[in-house]
Amino acid sequence: MAGRGDHTTVPGQFPAQGLRAVLGGWSGAGTKPRNDDAISGRIPETAYEMQVKGAIACIADGISTGLNSDKAAQISVVQFARDYYSAPESWPVRDCAGRLLNSLNSWLHAQNRSGSPDAEGMVTTFTAAIARSTTLHIVHIGDTRCQRLRAGRLVPLTEDHSARFMGGSESLTRALGAEADIRVDYAQETMAEGDLYILTTDGVHDTLGEAGMRDRLAGLPQESREDLEAASRALCQAALEAGSSDNVSCMLLKILALPSETLPEAHRRLTAQVIPPAMKPGNRIDGWEVLEVMHSSTRSNVYLVRRAGEDGRFVLKAPSQNFAENLQYLEGFTLEQWVGRRITNSQVMKIRPHEDSRFLYYIADFVEGETLRDWMKAHPKPSIAEIIPVLASLISAVRVFHRLGMVHRDLKPENVIIAEDGTAKIIDFGSVQVSGFRDLERGDKEELPEGSLNYIAPEVLTGQGAQPLSDLFSVAAITWEMLAGRVPFDLEERTALPSRPADWAAGDFAALRPDLPPATGEVLSRALAFSPKDRPEVMSEFLGEMRKLQGRAGTRPVFVPLLQRGSRGFWRGWALAATAVAAALAVALVALLP
């Protein structure tokens, strides 16, 4: 909820596990005829949204000389808060806020340049505080402020974008809508229980100062929405009584509790559902009938299933009971369900929502086709032209994850299905790293994905974290294997992972495929570089380099015996001609004899 006027209320306390916060605010025109300030905030009503999105408080102050600056302030706080909760959860907070503010700025700037009196002067400052997990994220432009009150000490968390010109009064140097391009400040800090975050416009903080604000907040109740609304109003009224001639607005965000899941708590949460025992054809679970055991290992069991009332066949995947105590694997399985339910793309296996069950499993659409491993067995020595359609489709599928702020981390031939039309589809994503969730993970969680080491990028194996170029490394390793029939790095048999960049040299590709252009090895080796900065910047660059190799032939000379060159007709003609020449020479020699 947002407001612009003499009184504004915002959603209050949500008594959820994990992060708990309360929010309250007040905004008034003060001595001015119009209120150019606006505030907005939200505390989610579901535990899930509170966990993945957190609580948000926004404040804006339209420039007083703008004809429509009040509209700019109001639109900014309302639209930012609304779009933040609508954006994919997988986006990191910083990226999400940056996209939203750039979009807002572009729209406001376009309105200012439209020439319409109804849109002129749409310029505003903006500050937002987003409390998520144990971190406060702050985005800021202009001279609205965010400050933190902790243990009686008030600390500023933003810097004003203003300057004094020619000895005159302070003027804004940055604001939403003022220019086509903007620079937004971003900061983050670790929160503590009991923190009070204070967002104010200059009508409040310029008049009261830090000491005045701190002293007036001391001793005021701060445990409920009503408490914070009353405290916000008291602060604004104090500014007016102290002589403020501007609009006055304040938002207060109080942190009551922070998430602190212990290992026992995590174990109880992740083992609340029972892992089903290994099944065989004819067995049933929650109405799903097993038709075929598609895969069974120490890690998981995968079945082809059907159920009355459901059209078609589906895949049921369940963890193996061997991993009942492995929290890392169970978290990965839970994340795989989350990812599969949120990605809707023909190149990614869709995981279907299913009713609550006491068993831990998920249901996915059945993907027809053969695995990339089977495709490679059927094409043991393909040309570059043959692999390009598969490679292009695989890269297209991987980019689906990247666009949502995810890194797959475990790409391998067994995780890719090649459909009848040649489209590559990814069917396993239990090791996906969601960029937007990294601050939600417990510190004890092991970051190394439990996949085949032969395809995982060095930076992931050495614990430096994954990035989209880590998936490029995996794609290049798969491409090398498609063409050469073997992986560039065989790490499965090693007792220790290579630690030096020199140990990651891919080897002589030309010796494995002398019939392909020599540049093939160079292109692959670059994508397989130890350091991500030495790889192509984007996957499309790697694909483009591979495509350029299609029309080239190998340039290494290969010795062919003379008698094997040419056709039979050529050699027959050559023999007849040679016979005729020999006969002519014989006649000439006879004529020369005395």
Side-chain angles (χ1 to χ4, degrees):
M1 183 181 295
R4 175 177 49 82
D6 288 335
H7 183 256
T8 303
T9 58
V10 291
Q13 177 179 354
F14 171 61
Q17 296 181 6
L19 174 65
R20 291 195 298 117
V22 289
L23 183 67
W26 194 88
S27 178
T31 61
K32 290 191 171 185
R34 186 182 74 181
N35 189 0
D36 290 318
D37 294 352
I39 60 175
S40 177
R42 179 181 172 190
I43 292 183
E45 297 179 356
T46 67
Y48 170 78
E49 197 170 35
M50 188 64 168
Q51 179 187 16
V52 301
K53 284 293 188 178
I56 186 172
C58 306
I59 193 166
D61 182 0
I63 61 169
S64 57
T65 56
L67 293 179
N68 296 283
S69 61
D70 58 332
K71 296 178 183 177
Q74 181 76 359
I75 290 170
S76 296
V77 296
V78 171
Q79 199 65 40
F80 183 88
R82 180 183 300 159
D83 290 349
Y84 172 74
Y85 286 99
S86 299
E89 300 101 316
S90 54
W91 287 0
V93 173
R94 180 174 187 169
D95 294 349
C96 181
R99 294 187 193 194
L100 299 182
L101 286 180
N102 272 283
S103 178
L104 267 172
N105 183 74
S106 296
W107 186 84
L108 292 172
H109 187 256
Q111 298 302 305
N112 289 328
R113 294 177 59 86
S114 68
S116 170
D118 294 333
E120 184 181 348
M122 281 201 172
V123 179
T124 183
T125 68
F126 181 87
T127 303
I130 302 168
R132 182 174 182 264
S133 185
T134 60
T135 303
L136 186 79
H137 305 261
I138 306 159
V139 287
H140 165 71
I141 182 169
D143 61 1
T144 40
R145 291 181 186 174
C146 178
Q147 301 179 78
R148 181 196 67 213
L149 182 62
R150 177 186 294 173
R153 184 184 176 197
L154 192 64
V155 176
L157 302 179
T158 56
E159 293 184 3
D160 292 350
H161 299 144
S162 61
R164 192 180 300 276
F165 297 100
M166 304 295 290
S169 59
E170 291 282 336
S171 299
L172 280 176
T173 57
R174 280 194 254 167
L176 285 177
E179 297 178 354
D181 297 315
I182 57 167
R183 289 179 296 123
V184 177
D185 288 353
Y186 170 82
Q188 65 179 52
E189 70 157 25
T190 301
M191 298 185 295
E193 291 186 5
D195 280 351
L196 179 66
Y197 294 99
I198 308 159
L199 282 69
T200 53
T201 55
D202 56 355
V204 175
H205 54 248
D206 280 356
T207 303
L208 296 178
E210 292 182 6
M213 294 175 59
R214 181 192 63 230
D215 294 344
R216 283 169 173 79
L217 287 170
L220 291 178
Q222 301 170 7
E223 300 304 313
S224 68
R225 180 191 67 190
E226 293 75 17
D227 289 343
L228 294 187
E229 287 180 351
S232 296
R233 180 165 188 164
L235 209 60
C236 291
Q237 293 294 343
L240 293 174
E241 293 169 4
S244 177
S245 59
D246 203 349
N247 305 143
V248 286
S249 300
C250 175
M251 288 285 286
L252 298 178
L253 176 64
K254 179 70 175 287
I255 306 304
L256 300 179
L258 294 173
S260 57
E261 185 178 50
T262 65
L263 282 176
E265 290 170 340
H267 185 271
R268 285 194 296 271
R269 172 175 58 85
L270 292 170
T271 57
Q273 291 176 298
V274 178
I275 295 177
M279 297 184 287
K280 58 185 180 180
N283 289 158
R284 294 175 180 271
I285 181 172
D286 293 336
W288 294 101
E289 178 188 359
V290 176
L291 302 177
E292 176 187 339
V293 179
M294 303 177 66
H295 171 79
S296 182
S297 69
T298 58
R299 291 175 55 81
S300 62
N301 296 300
V302 183
Y303 309 97
L304 185 66
V305 298
R306 68 181 176 190
R307 187 167 70 171
E310 302 278 356
D311 294 332
R313 298 176 297 172
F314 300 88
V315 171
L316 185 152
K317 181 177 180 179
S320 168
Q321 292 185 328
N322 297 323
F323 281 78
E325 302 299 320
N326 188 316
L327 298 188
Q328 179 193 353
Y329 177 78
L330 293 178
E331 284 193 344
F333 188 86
T334 302
L335 180 63
E336 185 173 18
Q337 293 185 68
W338 184 91
V339 171
R341 290 177 183 177
R342 276 154 183 80
I343 295 181
T344 302
N345 188 282
S346 60
Q347 290 193 266
V348 178
M349 180 181 69
K350 183 66 177 176
I351 294 179
R352 298 159 56 92
H354 66 90
E355 68 280 355
D356 291 336
S357 171
R358 68 187 186 94
F359 294 106
L360 180 60
Y361 66 89
Y362 69 69
I363 300 293
D365 290 345
F366 176 62
V367 179
E368 297 275 3
E370 61 180 348
T371 66
L372 181 54
R373 174 68 66 202
D374 291 334
W375 186 94
M376 290 163 63
K377 290 178 181 178
H379 301 78
K381 201 173 181 181
S383 66
I384 293 178
E386 286 179 290
I387 72 159
I388 286 297
V390 175
L391 177 60
S393 187
L394 174 58
I395 288 176
S396 174
V398 175
R399 291 179 66 187
V400 172
F401 292 87
H402 293 178
R403 285 193 293 270
L404 291 172
M406 305 178 187
V407 182
H408 190 283
R409 300 200 305 170
D410 189 26
L411 294 167
K412 56 187 177 183
E414 289 76 11
N415 288 347
V416 179
I417 293 288
I418 306 299
E420 291 184 1
D421 61 359
T423 301
K425 302 187 178 187
I426 296 175
I427 61 169
D428 188 293
F429 23 87
S431 295
V432 165
Q433 173 185 290
V434 182
S435 301
F437 286 175
R438 300 196 71 178
D439 60 335
L440 302 181
E441 296 171 350
R442 297 194 320 275
D444 60 281
K445 181 177 178 180
E446 175 62 48
E447 289 296 324
L448 181 64
E450 297 187 14
S452 173
L453 301 180
N454 292 336
Y455 307 94
I456 300 176
E459 63 271 16
V460 179
L461 292 177
T462 54
Q464 301 175 41
Q467 54 183 283
L469 289 180
S470 304
D471 283 345
L472 171 59
F473 180 96
S474 302
V475 169
I478 292 171
T479 305
W480 179 295
E481 187 178 12
M482 282 195 288
L483 291 172
R486 53 185 289 188
V487 292
F489 312 98
D490 191 356
L491 306 181
E492 298 290 348
E493 302 300 324
R494 296 197 185 188
T495 56
L497 295 174
S499 57
R500 301 177 306 165
D503 295 332
W504 288 87
D508 187 4
F509 180 85
L512 301 172
R513 287 295 303 267
D515 56 314
L516 296 181
T520 306
E522 299 171 9
V523 172
L524 291 171
S525 294
R526 184 181 170 214
L528 292 167
F530 175 82
S531 174
K533 66 181 178 60
D534 295 328
R535 300 171 198 158
E537 293 185 1
V538 291
M539 286 192 169
S540 57
E541 181 181 347
F542 169 67
L543 179 59
E545 290 177 347
M546 291 298 299
R547 279 180 166 147
K548 290 178 182 177
L549 298 171
Q550 288 185 89
R552 301 182 190 176
T555 57
R556 291 193 173 191
V558 180
F559 175 76
V560 180
L562 181 63
L563 291 176
Q564 295 181 17
R565 304 176 195 173
S567 63
R568 288 187 176 183
F570 168 81
W571 288 114
R572 186 179 296 110
W574 183 87
L576 292 174
T579 301
V581 170
L585 288 173
V587 170
L589 288 172
V590 171
L592 292 174
L593 292 175

